[in-house]
Amino acid sequence: MDFLRICSHLNRSGRGGLLAGLLLTSSFLAIEPALADDDDTTWLDTIILVGTKTERSVKDNPRSVTVVTGKELERGTTGGIAELLRDVPGVEIADDSVAGMKRLRIRGESSRRVTILVDGQEITDHSTYGTPLLIDPATVERIEVVRGPSSVLYGAKAIGGVVNITTKGGAEKLFQVEAGGSYSSGSDGWQSWAAVSGSKNGFDYRLSGSLDKNGDRTVPEGRFSSTGELEDTSYSSDNLYGHIGYRFGERENHYLALKFEQHRLESEGWPGELSSSIEDFKIDLPKRDRRKIGLYYDGEDISDVIAKIHADIFYQTIDRLFVNDVTTSAGPGRRVAVKSTSDDTITDYGLNAQIDLDLIEGHRTIVGFQYLSDNLETDKTSNTTMTGFAPFPVTVNSSSFDKAHIDTYSVYAQDEWQLTDTVMLTAGARLYHSQIGLDETSVAARADFDDQRDTRLLSSLGATWKPAESTTLRASYSQGYITPTLLQMFSSTTAGGQGTTYGNPELDPEQSQNFEIGARYEEGGLALDAAAFYSMARDYIATTRCVAVTAYCLTTGTMSSPSSIYVNADKANTFGVELLAEYELQDSGLTPYVSGTWIRREVEYADFSTYNSDTPALSGRIGVRYDGLWQEHPIWADLFVRAATEDKQTYRSGADLVTETLPGWGTLNFAFGGNIGEDDKVSYAVRFNNILDKEYRPSFGELPGYGRSVEVSVRVAF
C-alpha cells in the first residue's frame, strides 16, 4: 500500500511519521467538511452501575470508573475484549506469553486480583495468573470498569478492581440478522460471526456464534525474533451465545432472562528468551473451554419503598488442559527432559440477590446476599528422563489428584445519603464467611487437612461534592480482600524447568486498603477526569524454596532444579495519578484527547524490596479524533500515539538479585471507518497499527507487540 510505503520511507529517513499521518488524516477529512455533533453530552454523562451498584453518571460517581459503549465496541480492534480496555487509565494487558489468553491488570495488581463479571456474575478461574477474558466481542453491549479495591460490593477477588461485561439482548424488531468479519495482517488472522435476534409481545431473543483463527504473530526483526515471526503464538477459538428474555407485568416493570455462553480456545505458549541451558521448550494448551448458563430477574418500581429487586443464579464449568515439554542441559552429554500435564475442571455455581430501598427521604439503600461455590478437580502428571548420568538413564514418573472447594457466603449493604444539593455520601459494608475444604487427595502429606473457615468485615466510604454544575470533586476509601486460589492451596505445578511448586493449605487471604481523590469537569467542549490514589496491600502470596518451609513439600528438590511452596510473604504500596481528557473543537468535528497513568509500585518481598515490579512508570495515549458525515453517512477517524516508559522487574535468582529491563516505546497508529448503505446498515473500520514498525514489548507479562499491520472489519444488519 502507498500509505505504508510512505510511512516506512519517512521512518527510515528520520523524518516525522506523525507528520505523514496528520497529512493523510487531513486529506481524508477534506472529503467533506465535518459537522458538529448536536448532542452536547460526553462520556462523563454516561450512566453506570458498576461503581456503586446504583444508577449514577460517571461524573457523579465517587469511584474511578470507565465505560466502553457499543459505539466504541464497533470501532474497536480485532484483538478481543481486552484490547478495548488497553487505553483505560490504570489498566494493563497481560497474557503471560500465551496467545489469545488476555487478562487485565489494574493499578499494577496482578490479573488474579481483578474481578471479571459477565452480566454481574463472576467468572472464577483459580489459576495463578488470573481470569482471562474469554468473551465473544460480538455479544457485548457495553463494558464497565471500576479501578481500585471493590470487594465490599463485588466479592473476594477485587483488590485491583472490577470489570463488568454486559451482553446483548434482542433487537427491537421481530427478526434481525447481523453478520461480520475481520482480517488482521499481524497474525494472518480471520474472525467471523453471525447473529439472529428480535422481540415480540414482551419476548426478546438472540442467538449468535463466531469463529476465530490466528497464526503466529508478525513482529519487527530484532531482539524477540530474527525472522519477523514470533513462534508458537497461534491460537483459535469458537463461541456460542444464546439469550431469551420476557418482560411482563401491568407496567412491564418485571424482566426475566436466560443466557447461555460457550467459549472454546486452543493456544500455544511463546517460549520467550530462553537461557543457554534450555535446549527445547514447548507449551501447549489444547483445551481452554468455558460454559455458563445464568437466570436473571429484575423488577423496578415495585412500591414506594422498594425501588428495585434483582436476583440471579448461574452454573459454570471451565475445562483446562496444559502440556509442557522442556529439555535442559545438565553438563556435557547430560540431558534432563521433563513432560508435565495438568488437566483441571472447575465447577462454579452461585446466586446473588439485591433490593434497592427508599426508606428515608434523601437516602437510597441497597442490601444484598451472595453465595458462590467454587469446586476444583485437578489431575497432574510428570515424566522426567535423565540421560548421560552414570550408570544408566533414569526415568521418574509421578502423578497426583486433588479435589477441593471454596464456599463463600456474604451479606452487604450500602447507603447513599444526599446531604445537600451538592454533597452526597456513600457508605458500604460486607460481611464474608468462607469455608475451604479438601475433599479428595492422592498426596499423603495433606490427606489430614482440616476444613478452614474465615470471617471478615470490609467497608468502603465515598463522597462527592459539586461546587459548580461543571465540576465534581470526589474522595473515597475502600478495602480489598482475596482468598487464595484452590490451586495455590492444594495443587502442585511443574513447568518451565523451574521445579515443582507445591500448594499450601495454610495460606491466609490477601488484603488491601485504597485511598483516592479525584475531580471531573465538563464545560465548553472540555471533559476531564483525574484521580490520585494510594494503595497498601499485605499478605501477598508468593513462593519460597522448600528448604525454608517443609511442612507440605514432598521433596526438597531434584537433580535438575529446586522445589518451592506458596507462602504469605509479600506486600505492596502503590500510588499514582490517572488522567483522561478531551476537548471538542466547536463546529469542526475534531476532538484532541489524552489518557494516561503515572504509577509507582513498591513490592516488598521476604528479603528485599523494589520498585521494579513490571509496571511502567508512565503510559498512555494521545491523539485527535474526528466525527462527521460524508455524503450523509457517518464517518470517523482517529490518529494517535500509544507509548510507555521503560519497564523493569527485579527478582531473586539463587543468591543474586537480577534486574531485567524493557526499553520505553511508542507507536503511531491511524484508524478510520463509518457507515454506508440504506439506513447505515453496513459499518466498516480500517486500522493501521504500529505504522513505523517499532519493536516493543509492553511488559514482561505480555507478548511482544505486533509490527506494522493492518486490520479490516465489516459488519452488516438486515
Side-chain angles (χ1 to χ4, degrees):
M1 291 184 178
D2 292 338
F3 174 79
L4 297 182
R5 284 200 296 268
I6 291 171
C7 291
S8 179
H9 169 72
L10 288 172
N11 183 35
R12 290 194 302 270
S13 65
R15 300 172 184 171
L18 180 59
L19 176 60
L22 287 171
L23 291 173
L24 287 164
T25 306
S26 299
S27 300
F28 176 77
L29 300 182
I31 293 174
E32 184 162 311
L35 299 181
D37 191 351
D38 294 331
D39 187 357
D40 293 331
T41 63
T42 70
W43 43 272
L44 287 174
D45 300 295
T46 305
I47 300 299
I48 189 170
L49 289 172
V50 72
T52 60
K53 277 201 172 183
T54 57
E55 293 184 352
R56 280 207 202 177
S57 68
V58 171
K59 185 176 181 179
D60 295 330
N61 207 293
R63 305 298 307 278
S64 294
V65 294
T66 302
V67 185
V68 178
T69 63
K71 179 181 178 180
E72 295 168 299
L73 288 166
E74 288 190 8
R75 296 181 179 185
T77 72
T78 63
I81 294 297
E83 286 295 331
L84 297 168
L85 303 173
R86 182 181 290 276
D87 297 309
V88 173
V91 173
E92 300 173 84
I93 293 178
D95 53 31
D96 297 288
S97 298
V98 177
M101 195 85 74
K102 294 182 180 179
R103 301 171 170 88
L104 296 178
R105 301 175 60 195
I106 298 180
R107 292 181 173 175
E109 296 289 0
S110 75
S111 304
R112 192 178 67 80
R113 303 183 183 106
V114 175
T115 295
I116 305 297
L117 308 173
V118 177
D119 297 313
Q121 296 173 338
E122 184 178 339
I123 303 177
T124 56
D125 191 81
H126 287 276
S127 74
T128 304
Y129 302 108
T131 302
L133 275 74
L134 305 181
I135 311 292
D136 181 7
T139 67
V140 177
E141 171 124 348
R142 60 190 269 150
I143 306 171
E144 301 174 340
V145 181
V146 57
R147 308 186 296 278
S150 305
S151 296
V152 169
L153 290 180
Y154 290 101
K157 292 181 181 64
I159 283 183
V162 175
V163 178
N164 184 39
I165 300 166
T166 302
T167 57
K168 294 180 178 179
E172 294 182 358
K173 58 185 181 180
L174 176 61
F175 185 75
Q176 177 173 287
V177 177
E178 301 169 81
S182 59
Y183 172 75
S184 173
S185 68
S187 61
D188 194 21
W190 294 89
Q191 301 84 33
S192 59
W193 63 273
V196 293
S197 62
S199 59
K200 181 71 171 179
N201 296 332
F203 285 95
D204 71 296
Y205 68 92
R206 184 177 183 88
L207 179 64
S208 68
S210 68
L211 296 172
D212 188 341
K213 187 172 181 60
N214 295 267
D216 289 341
R217 69 170 55 190
T218 301
V219 299
E221 296 181 9
R223 171 179 175 179
F224 305 113
S225 173
S226 60
T227 63
E229 184 175 285
L230 208 62
E231 296 182 355
D232 298 326
T233 55
S234 64
Y235 67 95
S236 61
S237 66
D238 61 75
N239 298 270
L240 284 176
Y241 170 77
H243 161 95
I244 184 168
Y246 178 56
R247 186 168 296 279
F248 58 97
E250 291 184 3
R251 292 176 292 135
E252 295 187 342
N253 58 334
H254 300 274
Y255 186 69
L256 192 65
L258 180 69
K259 294 177 181 283
F260 168 78
E261 300 173 65
Q262 174 181 282
H263 183 100
R264 300 187 301 181
L265 172 71
E266 297 180 22
S267 187
E268 300 179 288
W270 178 56
E273 302 173 80
L274 301 176
S275 67
S276 58
S277 63
I278 298 180
E279 298 182 354
D280 188 37
F281 186 94
K282 177 70 175 179
I283 289 178
D284 191 21
L285 291 92
K287 181 172 67 173
R288 190 64 168 70
D289 302 343
R290 184 178 73 88
R291 295 176 179 86
K292 184 173 83 86
I293 184 168
L295 180 65
Y296 307 79
Y297 165 76
D298 285 283
E300 298 184 352
D301 298 325
I302 306 301
S303 69
D304 292 339
V305 174
I306 302 176
K308 185 183 295 185
I309 296 176
H310 170 85
D312 64 71
I313 60 175
F314 73 95
Y315 177 81
Q316 176 180 263
T317 61
I318 297 174
D319 296 301
R320 306 180 300 206
L321 179 59
F322 172 89
V323 181
N324 180 215
D325 288 282
V326 59
T327 300
T328 60
S329 172
R334 294 183 172 184
R335 302 289 182 272
V336 178
V338 180
K339 180 174 184 177
S340 56
T341 66
S342 178
D343 192 352
D344 305 331
T345 298
I346 298 173
T347 304
D348 306 315
Y349 51 90
L351 64 89
N352 181 58
Q354 177 179 310
I355 302 177
D356 293 27
L357 302 169
D358 292 326
L359 298 172
I360 306 173
E361 185 178 355
H363 290 259
R364 168 60 66 91
T365 304
I366 65 173
V367 293
F369 169 79
Q370 186 174 23
Y371 168 70
L372 179 63
S373 177
D374 295 332
N375 303 271
L376 169 71
E377 292 187 23
T378 176
D379 226 333
K380 311 284 188 181
T381 66
S382 179
N383 175 277
T384 302
T385 301
M386 294 178 285
T387 58
F389 295 88
F392 47 77
V394 177
T395 299
V396 178
N397 295 313
S398 63
S399 63
S400 65
F401 173 81
D402 292 286
K403 183 178 180 181
H405 71 273
I406 298 179
D407 291 333
T408 304
Y409 307 82
S410 56
V411 292
Y412 60 90
Q414 177 184 267
D415 184 71
E416 296 178 345
W417 184 9
Q418 190 74 54
L419 282 172
T420 69
D421 290 341
T422 60
V423 177
M424 176 175 280
L425 293 179
T426 304
R430 178 182 286 241
L431 180 65
Y432 283 100
H433 178 72
S434 61
Q435 299 177 352
I436 304 170
L438 180 60
D439 305 309
E440 296 180 36
T441 183
S442 63
V443 182
R446 52 178 177 252
D448 58 351
F449 170 74
D450 294 327
D451 289 359
Q452 291 188 356
R453 288 173 171 79
D454 185 65
T455 302
R456 302 289 173 109
L457 178 65
L458 303 180
S459 62
S460 64
L461 180 65
T464 60
W465 174 43
K466 299 186 71 169
E469 187 61 32
S470 61
T471 306
T472 302
L473 305 178
R474 59 192 171 91
S476 66
Y477 164 77
S478 55
Q479 292 181 302
Y481 167 85
I482 175 172
T483 57
T485 69
L486 291 169
L487 287 173
Q488 289 173 328
M489 288 188 292
F490 302 120
S491 180
S492 60
T493 303
T494 303
Q498 302 300 313
T500 300
T501 300
Y502 293 105
N504 182 355
E506 296 185 348
L507 291 172
D508 294 324
E510 301 176 344
Q511 302 176 68
S512 73
Q513 299 183 76
N514 182 74
F515 304 85
E516 64 179 75
I517 57 174
R520 298 185 176 106
Y521 178 85
E522 179 183 23
E523 189 172 40
L526 175 63
L528 180 147
D529 188 357
F533 62 90
Y534 180 75
S535 178
M536 301 177 293
R538 59 187 175 89
D539 292 330
Y540 270 11
I541 296 172
T543 59
T544 190
R545 294 278 294 274
C546 271
V547 294
V549 181
T550 59
Y552 291 96
C553 290
L554 299 183
T555 178
T556 58
T558 67
M559 294 179 64
S560 59
S561 60
S563 296
S564 302
I565 186 172
Y566 290 109
V567 294
N568 293 100
D570 306 340
K571 59 181 180 179
N573 294 316
T574 309
F575 55 92
V577 176
E578 299 164 345
L579 173 67
L580 182 60
E582 64 178 38
Y583 180 67
E584 183 180 355
L585 301 175
Q586 189 174 9
D587 299 328
S588 71
L590 292 171
T591 304
Y593 65 89
V594 61
S595 64
T597 306
W598 175 77
I599 186 170
R600 295 289 287 160
R601 178 173 172 81
E602 182 184 24
V603 182
E604 297 184 29
Y605 299 99
D607 55 351
F608 75 99
S609 63
T610 179
Y611 277 97
N612 301 329
S613 55
D614 195 19
T615 300
L618 186 62
S619 61
R621 168 174 170 163
I622 184 170
V624 58
R625 186 174 63 248
Y626 170 81
D627 284 275
L629 295 177
W630 178 59
Q631 296 185 356
E632 299 184 352
H633 294 290
I635 59 172
W636 59 271
D638 194 357
L639 175 69
F640 63 95
V641 173
R642 183 182 283 132
T645 56
E646 69 176 7
D647 182 29
K648 294 183 177 183
Q649 66 174 2
T650 297
Y651 58 91
R652 183 169 293 286
S653 178
D656 301 322
L657 289 179
V658 177
T659 298
E660 295 181 319
T661 303
L662 293 173
W665 58 274
T667 63
L668 175 66
N669 310 271
F670 176 64
F672 69 89
N675 295 75
I676 57 176
E678 184 180 355
D679 297 327
D680 297 325
K681 291 181 177 179
V682 179
S683 64
Y684 63 92
V686 180
R687 290 165 287 270
F688 299 96
N689 303 316
N690 195 2
I691 293 170
L692 303 181
D693 204 31
K694 295 293 186 180
E695 182 185 39
Y696 73 102
R697 188 178 183 186
S699 69
F700 291 98
E702 187 177 1
L703 288 165
Y706 289 101
R708 182 187 297 120
S709 61
V710 180
E711 298 176 13
V712 181
S713 60
V714 178
R715 62 172 62 203
V716 60
F718 302 97

